[in-house]
Amino acid sequence: MPHPDPRTPMLVIGTGELGQALLHALLPRAAEASVRIDVLVRSEPGRDAAFVRSGGRPVLCDVAAASGAELAELFSRYDTVVSCLGFAAGSGTQLKLARAALASGVRRYFPWQFGADYDALGRGGPQPLFEEQLDVRDLLRGQSATRWIIVSVGMFTSFLFEPSFGVVDLEGGVVRALGSWDNAVTVTTPDDIGRLTTEIIFAEPEFADEVVHLAGDTITYARLADVVEQALGRPIRREVLTVPDLMADLAQSPDDVMRRYRAVFAIGRGMWWHKDATFNARRGIPATDAAGWLQAHLGRSA
C-alpha cells in the first residue's frame, strides 16, 4: 500500500518560513499521489496565500489557545501530522502538540525538531528550549502506537549569516568562531528542508520511529572564514569566541536569546554531523552548501 494512506488527508501545522518551504514542495507531490493537504493556520488566509493557490485547504485553529483535547480531536482526522511550528510559538508548545498527536491516535507524527541533534547535545545546556525537545523525544519513544519521524537539519543556513547572531559580519569583514576554529556546524536552507522532508514523507520503505539527518553543508568555522574571504574578495578579520567567554557573556544577560544560541553552538556537541551519512547524501540529492548560499545572497544584494 502506498504511503501516506491516500484515503486520509495530511495536516501541516504552521505557515512560517519552514512551513511555506515544505508546502511548496509537498503540495505538488501530494496532488500526484491524491493526498489532500490541510494547513493549520491561526486566521483565515488571504485569497492569494500560496498554499491555497496550490491546493492546500486552510483549517483554523489557534494552537496557543486550543486545549490538548481539542488538538487531539483535530489531529484524529489525519493519517499524518507534520509540525512546522517552531520555538517562536513559546515554551511548552512542542510538548503540547506531541501529547495531542499521541492522544489522537494519528498514524504518523513529524514533530518540529528541525534543528540540532538534541540526543547528542544532552541536557543541562545554556538553551532551555532544547530541554523541551528532549522531553518530546522521550514522550515519543515511550509509546508504540504512533510512528514518529524526526528530521534534524542543523541551523538554517541564513541564520549562520544573520548579523545579530554575531558569527559573520559581511559588512565589517569579520568571521567569529564559536568555541574554536575546529568546531563545526551543520546548516541547511529551508527550501532544501522542504524538498527533502517531502522525500522522507513519501519514502518507500516508510521511515518510522527514527531520527533522519539532513545537511546542506557541515562546515568548520575555519572553513567558513575561508569561504567568506573568497566570496568577498578581500582579507577578513578572524576572531574566536571561547566557551568561557560566551558563558560569562550569557551570565550578564541570561535571557538573551542570541547569547544562549552562541553559547550552545560554541559547545559544539550535537550541532554537526557528517554530510556523507545524511539522507540527502545517501540518496544523491543535491543541497545548497554555505558557499553556494553566500554567493547567491551576495548576487541578490549587488
Side-chain angles (χ1 to χ4, degrees), residues 213-257:
H213 290 86
L214 309 179
D217 203 352
T218 294
I219 187 169
T220 66
Y221 291 105
R223 173 59 184 154
L224 175 64
D226 292 341
V227 165
V228 171
E229 192 166 78
Q230 183 176 7
L232 293 179
R234 55 184 169 86
I236 62 168
R237 191 168 78 253
R238 304 179 186 220
E239 302 173 355
V240 178
L241 303 177
T242 67
V243 172
D245 287 344
L246 288 167
M247 294 301 291
D249 186 49
L250 178 59
Q252 298 298 314
S253 185
D255 295 327
D256 186 286
V257 173

Side-chain angles (χ1 to χ4, degrees), residues 5 25 112 132 194 289:
D5 186 338
W112 192 93
E132 186 178 347
D289 62 11

